[in-house]
Amino acid sequence: MESAALAIEIQMSLLLFLALAGYLVASRINQSATIGAILVGVLVGPSVLGLITYTDFVATLAHLGAIILLFVIGFEFNIRDILDPRYGVIGLVGVVVPWIGGYATAVFFGFDFASAVFIGTALTATSIAITANVLKEIGVLQTPAAKAIIGAAVIDDVLSLLVLAVSTDLVVSGDISAVSVGVMLGKAVGFIVVAGAVGYFGIRKVIERMDATPLARKYPEFVFIFAMMVAFLYAMLADLVGLSGIIGAFLAGVAFAGVELRQSKGVHEGAEYFQIVFASIFFVSLGILADIRALTSDMVLFLLVLTLIAIVTKVLGCALPARAMGMCREDSLIIGFGMAPRGEVAMIVALIGLESGLIGQSVFVVVVLMSLLTTLITPIVYRNWFYKGAYCPVD
């Protein structure tokens, strides 16, 4: 028992040390802390030094980090910010175009039908945890482009879920079940609507009333514990309906945005301290997960081409509809690059395909490394290209 506890303490200390090293690396290369953490993860992981592996403990902490990060991000948004119909169009086109690009690329390189379908599906996903953290770091979460990215990414997650369901049906049974797709869409949309309404009109008021009670005056931390419980509850419910848990946590954060507490400790401030610790571990874990040694020489060219296709199709698939709906050129490109990271979402899709026997180990490794490379590109582009000054006219 003591040895198990000691092992956990050692792993936790090492992960936090690596997170600190990530900040030092980022400072030296003048990049986002996200980039620094991922690069350190690659260095100490199986790819280079092999000092740490992607254990269940690391995966659990990383999952917590992603949930808490999106919970904190949610505080920066109003519910109206993610309900703009334009974001639905951006999300839809941003799913269709990458799927076609991924499928066509896989077919061109000679992969079978099942692998090609899953590769295309992996390219549809968007990891808003990466982009949202970078936008938060540089203080631009309240810009129109940032709101569009978050709103479109939420819709993107629902659509990617449907694409995964359709792809699995198509590969396994050879046809598509309209009933199963309809049920899944109903559950996903229903969860977002109901969870958002209950949080905004129900739980929000409960927290305000709770803050006025003698219990909150005696125990100022009581409301904060309640809010964190709700965040993880929302994440669990999102997982149960097939969505990513981070979407549920984000909706919980949106519901609590702007809540005024007089006696209790601030929920937003308290959650940010959790986020600093666990989100750093999440980004380190992405680097650890990518095992470059498992990549065979004949798959390197496919990886490079697939990564290029993943970035180009997502940028064009999201930037063009944004531009067509009246956004300026720079904001449209910011949205496109902001939707490009595949992160842990594409990795999950690839893992489903691997465990079901529909793709091989080599394809799995390529998708994981593609996810990592697309994750790296957005912070670099944002810090060195965009947000160097005001691009679009302010209304």
Side-chain angles (χ1 to χ4, degrees):
M1 190 65 149
E2 289 182 2
S3 61
L6 182 61
I8 291 174
E9 291 161 3
I10 291 173
Q11 289 184 77
M12 192 69 184
S13 298
L14 178 58
L15 288 169
L16 291 176
F17 173 78
L18 295 176
L20 290 174
Y23 277 90
L24 294 176
V25 170
S27 176
R28 296 286 290 182
I29 63 177
N30 193 30
Q31 294 298 329
S32 163
T34 301
I35 291 289
I38 293 174
L39 291 178
V40 167
V42 172
L43 178 64
V44 302
S47 296
V48 183
L49 299 178
L51 299 178
I52 189 169
T53 58
Y54 195 76
T55 63
D56 290 340
F57 180 71
V58 174
T60 299
L61 293 181
H63 185 63
L64 288 177
I67 288 173
I68 295 171
L69 172 60
L70 265 295
F71 178 56
V72 172
I73 296 298
F75 279 90
E76 307 289 340
F77 289 83
N78 185 285
I79 193 69
R80 290 186 294 272
D81 292 337
I82 60 174
L83 295 179
D84 192 320
R86 295 179 300 172
Y87 305 159
V89 177
I90 295 171
L92 176 61
V93 181
V95 164
V96 173
V97 174
W99 190 93
I100 294 172
Y103 177 82
T105 302
V107 170
F108 178 78
F109 275 85
F111 286 93
D112 59 35
F113 177 71
S115 296
V117 167
F118 264 87
I119 289 169
T121 303
L123 262 62
T124 64
T126 291
S127 175
I128 56 174
I130 309 296
T131 300
N133 189 67
V134 175
L135 293 169
K136 185 172 181 289
E137 276 186 357
I138 56 184
V140 291
L141 267 177
Q142 290 303 317
T143 59
K147 292 178 180 179
I149 290 168
I150 301 297
V154 171
I155 295 165
D156 187 289
D157 194 73
V158 175
L159 295 175
S160 295
L161 168 69
L162 294 178
V163 172
L164 178 60
V166 170
S167 299
T168 304
D169 280 349
L170 189 60
V171 170
V172 174
S173 63
D175 59 6
I176 300 171
S177 171
V179 174
S180 64
V181 173
V183 169
M184 188 164 291
L185 176 61
K187 286 196 300 182
V189 173
F191 169 77
I192 292 174
V193 172
V194 173
V198 170
Y200 193 79
F201 298 108
I203 298 176
R204 180 189 182 94
K205 293 183 178 178
V206 169
I207 282 185
E208 290 174 340
R209 290 176 182 172
M210 195 181 292
D211 178 59
T213 63
L215 183 64
R217 183 167 60 250
K218 185 176 182 179
Y219 304 109
E221 67 275 16
F222 185 81
V223 169
F224 172 72
I225 295 173
F226 176 80
M228 293 302 299
M229 178 200 73
V230 171
F232 285 109
L233 176 64
Y234 266 46
M236 180 196 71
L237 293 174
D239 278 326
L240 289 177
V241 301
L243 286 171
S244 171
I246 61 179
I247 297 299
F250 173 75
L251 291 174
V254 171
F256 298 150
V259 171
E260 294 184 4
L261 302 177
R262 294 190 173 137
Q263 300 185 128
S264 305
K265 293 184 181 294
V267 176
H268 188 189
E269 182 181 2
E272 279 194 319
Y273 288 115
F274 277 114
Q275 177 244 317
I276 290 170
V277 173
F278 289 101
S280 298
I281 293 174
F282 166 66
F283 293 121
V284 171
S285 75
L286 293 182
I288 295 172
L289 185 59
D291 188 357
I292 299 174
R293 297 176 309 165
L295 188 67
T296 58
S297 57
D298 59 332
M299 295 292 282
V300 172
L301 178 60
F302 176 61
L303 169 63
L304 296 176
V305 173
L306 185 67
T307 301
L308 179 62
I309 292 296
I311 294 170
V312 170
T313 54
K314 204 68 166 181
V315 170
L316 292 179
C318 295
L320 290 179
R323 182 68 171 143
M325 289 182 291
M327 296 186 181
C328 71
R329 182 186 64 187
E330 289 77 12
D331 274 358
S332 298
L333 288 173
I334 287 171
I335 292 168
F337 278 102
M339 297 287 285
R342 300 321 198 270
E344 78 290 348
V345 184
M347 295 176 187
I348 291 170
V349 171
L351 186 60
I352 291 172
L354 180 67
E355 290 177 342
S356 61
L358 298 175
I359 63 173
Q361 181 67 32
S362 60
V363 174
F364 173 76
V365 172
V366 165
V367 172
V368 168
L369 292 176
M370 177 276 296
S371 302
L372 176 64
L373 292 173
T374 57
T375 295
L376 289 171
I377 196 68
T378 294
I380 294 173
V381 169
Y382 275 11
R383 283 194 170 271
N384 297 284
W385 184 6
F386 298 124
Y387 296 120
K388 289 285 187 179
Y391 284 94
C392 297
V394 179
D395 293 334

